[in-house]
């Protein structure tokens, strides 16, 4: 995961950057819950929509592990019988938790800049 692209775009505006990251955090939280539910329900249409919604932000963050995991879910829906919903959900949960932690850390860094 890489914040360098966003760091360079928001270098002169740490407050706006923090607000963007907080918004991303909330949107990823919502998406995570809905993605998990769509996998459990076997709703490939909802999953596809949610995946599309977050993919560009994940690309900006260069979070290839989560992109790969979401692509595996697509393979599951396309009939890859070697994949299981429980394993996919566990992997996604772990990767989302890492994303949330990294966002929290970055927001915390920006809070420190604001205080100084």
């Amino acid at each position: 995961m890489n914040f360098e692209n966003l760091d360079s775009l928001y270098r002169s505006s740490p407050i706006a950057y923090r607000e963007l990251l907080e918004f991303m955090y909330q949107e990823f939280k919502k998406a995570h819950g809905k993605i998990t539910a769509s996998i459990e329900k076997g709703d490939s249409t909802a999953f596809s929509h949610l995946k599309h919604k977050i993919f560009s932000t994940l690309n900006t963050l260069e979070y290839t592990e989560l992109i790969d995991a979401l692509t595996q879910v697509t393979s599951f829906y396309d009939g890859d019988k070697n994949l299981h919903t429980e394993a996919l959900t566990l992997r996604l949960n772990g990767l989302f938790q890492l994303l949330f932690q990294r966002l929290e850390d970055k927001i915390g860094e920006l809070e420190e800049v604001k205080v100084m």
Side-chain angles (χ1 to χ4, degrees), residues 20-66:
L20 171 68
L21 294 175
E22 289 170 347
F23 176 77
M24 287 171 55
Y25 184 91
Q26 293 304 318
E27 290 300 305
F28 278 126
K29 276 285 194 186
K30 289 182 219 173
H32 175 234
K34 290 178 181 180
I35 285 171
T36 301
S38 71
I39 293 170
E40 290 170 356
K41 293 177 185 173
D43 187 348
S44 63
T45 302
F47 172 80
S48 181
H49 173 73
L50 293 161
K51 176 183 158 187
H52 177 74
K53 186 175 178 179
I54 65 172
F55 239 55
S56 63
T57 306
L58 292 174
N59 277 317
T60 299
L61 294 174
E62 299 176 8
Y63 195 11
T64 55
E65 295 87 356
L66 185 50

Side-chain angles (χ1 to χ4, degrees), residues 2-108:
N2 184 346
F3 285 91
E4 289 178 18
N5 293 329
L6 291 176
D7 288 345
S8 65
L9 287 172
Y10 286 91
R11 184 178 333 217
S12 64
S13 185
I15 293 170
Y17 189 16
R18 188 189 78 246
E19 290 171 354
L20 171 68
L21 294 175
E22 289 170 347
F23 176 77
M24 287 171 55
Y25 184 91
Q26 293 304 318
E27 290 300 305
F28 278 126
K29 276 285 194 186
K30 289 182 219 173
H32 175 234
K34 290 178 181 180
I35 285 171
T36 301
S38 71
I39 293 170
E40 290 170 356
K41 293 177 185 173
D43 187 348
S44 63
T45 302
F47 172 80
S48 181
H49 173 73
L50 293 161
K51 176 183 158 187
H52 177 74
K53 186 175 178 179
I54 65 172
F55 239 55
S56 63
T57 306
L58 292 174
N59 277 317
T60 299
L61 294 174
E62 299 176 8
Y63 195 11
T64 55
E65 295 87 356
L66 185 50
I67 292 168
D68 291 345
L70 292 168
T71 301
Q72 274 194 324
V73 176
T74 301
S75 297
F76 168 76
Y77 282 126
D78 290 341
D80 187 343
K81 301 302 180 202
N82 294 319
L83 301 170
H84 303 285
T85 56
E86 296 84 12
L88 292 172
T89 302
L90 282 173
R91 181 169 182 226
L92 284 173
N93 287 342
L95 292 168
F96 269 107
Q97 291 309 314
L98 178 61
L99 174 61
F100 300 142
Q101 185 60 55
R102 291 289 308 277
L103 285 168
E104 288 170 3
D105 292 346
K106 193 69 173 173
I107 291 166

